[in-house]
């Protein structure tokens, strides 16, 4: 009797739809843990696991992962059962797999537990952990497909795998999954797409697998919109770019750790893992290489006509060899100059790599060291359409007039997305403030504003082992910092502190007033020297409920969702209403920036 026929028994314990779904999960488990997949195993597993995630997310929204395992009555049960049967047959029938797709599978002895076999234990791709093995076992156990919730039903071994045929096979799986998605109403389809993005964001943000990140990037690029209508290119492309940027950043740091004889003589290709060659890419990122660090060093004497921005003496526009550029100066501390210089070089290489437009950052041409002062300049390319007659302007200088709520919402969303992608790629900004957000173009209050994230002089890899620099001791800037990030750092800088600073920027955008004015009841930053103890009162003031708090009028000006997102960033915790919006049994718990982007995207005026 085939597994799907067997699934028809025991319907008293679970619905037919749940048992058919569990049979599909069993098929995914058997295929993804099968050994001997070949040299393209990371990419092929990633493609397969992505469809499993999509199916599981659908099942959660269809009610199958609730306590009763009952299918939502709004869905057509007959169609659901038919599609799940077809999908289960496609996943479990090895004879059809061999005859139709020329993909052969053989059974493997069950004499040893699956987790004790090193080859099988390491077979999972980067997305395999997005659904825990415990969750998979529990689904199959509840459906009666296995009799022990601590083990799987069997193991297979690939006898022959052709990549193109495997891709065709996964494409057919994807079509069945999409049929199930199409049965949901548009609102739940949007929630489902958002859920998938959050899973992918979590995987990219937490992964340290070079090979896996490359595989995920390639998988996302191979999912054309025409074949995956519920995930648009605007949703997937930035995620693919974030995966590649993270892998690229890890390669940069790895190259820095090599002896100088190995890392300085030649360009180092981004590798999936030590000793292996990188997989060719289909887009502009194919040119990614960890450049010879001498190539990024520019001549400081060629920087001419520097004009600082208002209130930002270390940042402004200039000319470099006749090209209109952005300059950001960074002082080099004497006590840690060597370590900081190494980080600066890595950062310049990372900022010079091609990125998706959603990152909203300028391309770094290189760095120029001042021979007269212990400082260094980051040199960034500016769009050709800009000129000295229409220079970019810091957001802080534009906080006047009366732009519409729509313009402010779009601006806040774009900035939040930018920070989200940098965090996802494994880098912390460390100096988020409205003076480090440039507005390109006219800055007309009636037009959509195009922000660019700058001020990366203190940015670093998101790692506890990285040393933390004090960004400044300027009260005008310290008001944007989390209390724990003020003064000499006692703890390593974390993403929560970046998110807090982003929350202060969202407050400025919502109120359309500078933060210094919004907190003047607590601290007068114009006085010059301000005690850290006084600056530390800003956060409690902003979070205070009632008419005297810093958020007192934000809800009136921007609405409940915007105000709640801002408060979430300042608190550093996801509130219950936003967490409840995820529903029960989510694959991964979302991070604050994922939730912020989701909620701000839903705001319409």
């Amino acid at each position: 009797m085939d597994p799907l026929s067997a699934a028809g028994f025991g319907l008293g314990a679970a619905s037919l739809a749940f048992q058919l779904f569990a049979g599909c999960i069993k098929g995914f488990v058997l295929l993804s843990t099968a050994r001997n997949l070949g040299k393209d195993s990371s990419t092929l597993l990633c493609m397969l696991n992505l469809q499993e995630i999509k199916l599981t997310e659908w099942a959660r929204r269809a009610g199958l992962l609730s306590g009763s395992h009952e299918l939502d009555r709004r869905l057509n049960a007959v169609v659901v059962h038919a599609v799940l049967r077809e999908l289960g047959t496609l996943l479990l029938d090895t004879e059809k797999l061999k005859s139709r797709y020329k993909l052969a599978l053989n059974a493997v002895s069950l004499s040893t537990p699956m987790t004790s076999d090193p080859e099988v234990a390491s077979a999972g791709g980067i997305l395999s952990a997005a659904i825990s093995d415990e969750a998979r076992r529990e689904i199959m156990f509840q459906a009666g497909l296995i009799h022990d919730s601590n083990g799987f039903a069997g193991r297979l071994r690939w006898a022959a795998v052709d990549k193109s045929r495997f891709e065709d096979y996964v494409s057919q799986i994807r079509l069945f999954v999409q049929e199930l998605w199409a049965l949901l109403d548009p609102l739940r389809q949007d929630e489902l797409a958002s859920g998938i993005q959050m899973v992918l964001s979590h995987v990219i943000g937490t992964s340290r697998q070079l090979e896996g990140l490359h595989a995920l990037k390639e998988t996302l690029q191979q999912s054309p919109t025409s074949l995956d209508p519920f995930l648009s290119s605007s949703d997937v492309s930035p995620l693919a770019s974030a995966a590649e940027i993270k892998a690229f950043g890890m390669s940069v740091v790895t190259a820095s750790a090599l002896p100088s004889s190995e890392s300085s003589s030649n360009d180092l290709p981004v590798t999936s893992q030590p000793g292996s060659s990188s997989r060719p890419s289909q887009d502009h990122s194919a040119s990614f290489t960890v450049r010879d660090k001498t190539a990024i060093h520019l001549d400081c004497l060629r920087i001419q006509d520097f004009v600082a921005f208002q209130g930002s003496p270390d940042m402004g526009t200039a000319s470099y060899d006749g090209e209109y550029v952005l300059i950001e100066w960074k002082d080099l501390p004497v006590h840690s100059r060597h370590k900081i210089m190494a980080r600066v070089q890595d950062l310049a290489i990372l900022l010079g790599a091609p990125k998706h437009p959603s990152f909203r950052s300028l391309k770094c041409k290189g760095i120029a060291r001042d021979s007269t002062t212990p400082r260094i300049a980051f040199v960034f390319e500016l769009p050709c359409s800009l000129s000295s007659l229409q220079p970019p302007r810091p957001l802080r200088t534009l906080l006047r007039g009366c732009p519409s709520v729509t313009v402010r919402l779009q601006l806040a969303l774009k900035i939040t997305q930018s920070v989200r992608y940098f965090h996802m790629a494994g880098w912390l900004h460390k100096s988020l403030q409205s003076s480090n957000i440039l507005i390109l173009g006219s800055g007309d209050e009636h037009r959509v504003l195009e922000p660019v994230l700058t001020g990366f002089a203190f940015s670093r890899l998101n790692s506890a082992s990285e040393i933390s620099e004090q960004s400044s001791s300027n009260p005008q800037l310290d008001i944007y910092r989390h209390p724990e990030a003020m003064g000499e750092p006692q703890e390593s800088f974390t993403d929560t502190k970046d998110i807090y600073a982003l929350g202060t920027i969202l407050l400025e955008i919502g109120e359309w007033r500078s933060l210094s004015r919004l907190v003047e009841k607590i601290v007068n930053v114009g006085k010059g020297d301000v005690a850290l103890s006084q600056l530390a009162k800003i956060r409690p003031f902003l979070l205070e409920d009632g008419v005297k708090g810093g958020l007192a009028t934000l809800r009136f000006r921007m609405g409940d969702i915007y105000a709640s997102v801002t408060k979430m960033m300042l608190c550093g915790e996801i509130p219950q209403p936003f967490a409840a919006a995820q529903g029960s049994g989510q694959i991964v718990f979302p991070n604050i920036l994922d939730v912020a982007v989701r909620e701000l995207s839903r705001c319409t005026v």
Side-chain angles (χ1 to χ4, degrees):
M1 182 180 293
D2 66 89
L4 293 180
S5 298
F9 294 97
L11 293 182
S15 70
L16 174 60
F18 176 75
Q19 296 222 7
L20 293 171
F21 162 70
C24 295
I25 294 298
K26 178 180 178 180
F28 278 115
V29 168
L30 291 173
L31 293 175
S32 62
T33 58
R35 295 181 290 180
N36 197 37
L37 193 52
K39 61 183 179 66
D40 296 306
S41 59
S42 292
T43 301
L44 299 181
L45 282 172
C46 199
M47 295 165 57
L48 188 65
N49 291 147
L50 181 57
Q51 300 311 312
E52 182 189 16
I53 291 170
K54 290 181 179 180
L55 177 65
T56 304
E57 282 285 284
W58 168 85
R60 182 161 66 82
R61 286 165 177 80
L64 298 184
L65 297 184
S66 63
S68 64
H69 303 310
E70 291 291 337
L71 183 69
D72 190 319
R73 294 189 177 185
R74 290 172 292 181
L75 299 180
N76 188 321
V78 174
V79 176
V80 169
H81 295 163
V83 174
L84 287 175
R85 280 195 178 94
E86 290 291 336
L87 178 58
T89 300
L90 184 63
L91 291 166
L92 286 163
D93 193 325
T94 58
E95 291 302 319
K96 287 187 177 180
L97 183 64
K98 183 177 180 179
S99 62
R100 185 180 302 178
Y101 298 98
K102 312 302 179 186
L103 300 172
L105 280 165
N106 297 325
V108 176
S109 170
L110 299 178
S111 59
T112 57
M114 186 178 71
T115 54
S116 68
D117 188 328
E119 186 178 355
V120 176
S122 62
I126 186 174
L127 292 178
S128 62
I131 306 173
S132 68
D133 287 341
E134 291 75 14
R136 293 182 178 99
R137 283 194 292 263
E138 186 63 23
I139 289 170
M140 291 187 286
F141 180 70
Q142 290 289 334
L145 299 184
I146 58 175
H147 301 292
D148 181 2
S149 61
N150 294 319
F152 287 102
R155 281 209 309 277
L156 300 172
R157 180 184 181 89
W158 294 99
V161 176
D162 177 83
K163 183 181 179 182
S164 61
R165 294 182 185 278
F166 195 95
E167 290 174 347
D168 291 341
Y169 175 57
V170 174
S171 293
Q172 185 59 50
I173 294 174
R174 181 169 55 206
L175 290 176
F176 283 123
V177 174
Q178 287 171 7
E179 283 189 52
L180 295 170
W181 277 41
L183 297 175
L184 298 173
D185 59 74
L187 178 59
R188 283 189 290 175
Q189 288 176 3
D190 289 342
E191 291 176 351
L192 185 50
S194 175
I196 296 298
Q197 291 178 62
M198 286 190 177
V199 172
L200 296 174
S201 171
H202 173 81
V203 169
I204 295 169
T206 58
S207 177
R208 298 293 298 172
Q209 304 177 33
L210 277 173
E211 180 75 16
L213 289 166
H214 282 295
L216 180 55
K217 169 251 181 180
E218 184 173 335
T219 297
L220 295 176
Q221 288 181 336
Q222 289 180 344
S223 297
T225 305
S226 59
L227 295 179
D228 214 340
F230 301 105
L231 286 175
S232 67
S233 177
S234 61
D235 295 329
V236 173
S237 297
L239 294 171
S241 180
E244 185 160 36
I245 288 294
K246 182 163 188 180
F248 181 67
M250 292 168 61
S251 296
V252 169
V253 174
T254 300
S256 296
L258 294 175
S260 57
S261 61
E262 296 182 45
S263 61
S264 62
S265 59
N266 298 294
D267 289 354
L268 298 174
V270 175
T271 56
S272 299
Q273 51 184 276
S276 66
S277 60
S278 62
R279 192 176 277 104
S281 173
Q282 301 300 317
D283 66 352
H284 61 263
S285 57
S287 60
F288 273 24
T289 57
V290 181
R291 291 183 285 171
D292 176 1
K293 292 189 177 180
T294 61
I296 64 170
H297 287 272
L298 307 177
D299 185 356
C300 191
L301 296 178
R302 297 184 183 181
I303 299 176
Q304 303 291 326
D305 304 323
F306 175 72
V307 179
F309 293 136
Q310 178 184 340
S312 302
D314 293 329
M315 185 185 299
T317 58
S319 172
Y320 187 89
D321 279 349
E323 180 182 353
Y324 191 52
V325 296
L326 175 76
I327 300 295
E328 182 179 351
W329 290 102
K330 174 182 174 63
D331 293 329
L332 295 175
V334 177
H335 65 280
S336 57
R337 185 173 302 173
H338 177 72
K339 290 183 178 180
I340 297 301
M341 192 62 197
R343 178 191 291 174
V344 165
Q345 293 178 131
D346 291 347
L347 181 61
I349 293 173
L350 178 74
L351 293 174
K355 302 175 189 65
H356 189 273
S358 295
F359 276 77
R360 296 192 170 274
S361 65
L362 301 172
K363 183 177 180 180
C364 183
K365 290 174 62 70
I367 50 178
R369 193 163 185 173
D370 193 336
S371 60
T372 62
T373 309
R375 64 176 186 168
I376 200 163
F378 288 86
V379 182
F380 295 91
E381 297 177 0
L382 284 171
C384 298
S385 58
L386 295 181
S387 69
S388 57
L389 298 178
Q390 191 184 48
R393 289 178 288 176
L395 173 61
R396 188 166 62 182
T397 67
L398 298 176
L399 297 176
R400 60 180 182 273
C402 301
S404 70
V405 174
T406 300
V407 168
R408 284 178 284 155
L409 275 172
Q410 292 176 341
L411 177 62
L413 175 59
K414 290 173 182 177
I415 295 170
T416 303
Q417 287 174 325
S418 172
V419 177
R420 176 200 188 197
Y421 288 126
F422 271 102
H423 277 203
M424 198 187 303
W427 286 79
L428 301 174
H429 188 281
K430 291 197 63 185
S431 193
L432 288 172
Q433 53 197 267
S434 53
S435 60
N436 283 336
I437 296 169
L438 300 185
I439 303 300
L440 305 183
S442 66
D444 187 326
E445 65 184 49
H446 300 295
R447 297 176 57 188
V448 174
L449 302 179
E450 295 301 330
V452 168
L453 195 60
T454 62
F456 287 99
F458 295 93
S459 299
R460 66 165 175 82
L461 191 68
N462 187 4
S463 170
S465 62
E466 290 282 329
I467 59 173
S468 287
E469 297 178 79
Q470 181 183 1
S471 300
S472 80
S473 57
N474 182 347
Q476 291 277 1
L477 305 181
D478 283 341
I479 59 175
Y480 294 90
R481 305 192 203 289
H482 190 284
E484 295 176 1
M486 297 178 186
E488 289 295 331
Q490 301 297 317
E491 298 179 357
S492 180
F493 193 92
T494 62
D495 55 356
T496 303
K497 298 177 177 64
D498 252 356
I499 293 171
Y500 171 85
L502 178 59
T504 64
I505 296 172
L506 259 63
L507 175 59
E508 286 184 308
I509 293 172
E511 295 284 356
W512 208 244
R513 289 189 295 165
S514 67
L515 187 62
S516 59
R517 290 183 58 194
L518 293 171
V519 301
E520 59 187 1
K521 295 180 182 178
I522 300 299
V523 57
N524 183 357
V525 295
K527 287 184 176 181
D529 292 336
V530 179
L532 290 178
S533 59
Q534 193 68 20
L535 291 170
K537 295 179 181 180
I538 293 176
R539 183 171 183 261
F541 166 70
L542 295 180
L543 293 175
E544 181 183 344
D545 292 325
V547 296
K548 295 183 178 180
L551 302 179
T553 61
L554 185 62
R555 199 171 298 275
F556 166 74
R557 295 182 186 279
M558 300 296 291
D560 290 343
I561 293 178
Y562 189 97
S564 296
V565 167
T566 302
K567 187 172 183 178
M568 172 180 67
M569 292 181 177
L570 297 173
C571 286
E573 296 179 355
I574 299 175
Q576 181 56 35
F578 288 164
Q582 280 296 110
S584 60
Q586 63 262 31
I587 294 178
V588 297
F589 195 77
N591 63 46
I592 291 175
L593 291 181
D594 286 342
V595 172
V597 169
R598 181 191 69 191
E599 297 300 324
L600 291 176
S601 299
R602 293 175 176 175
C603 292
T604 56
V605 178

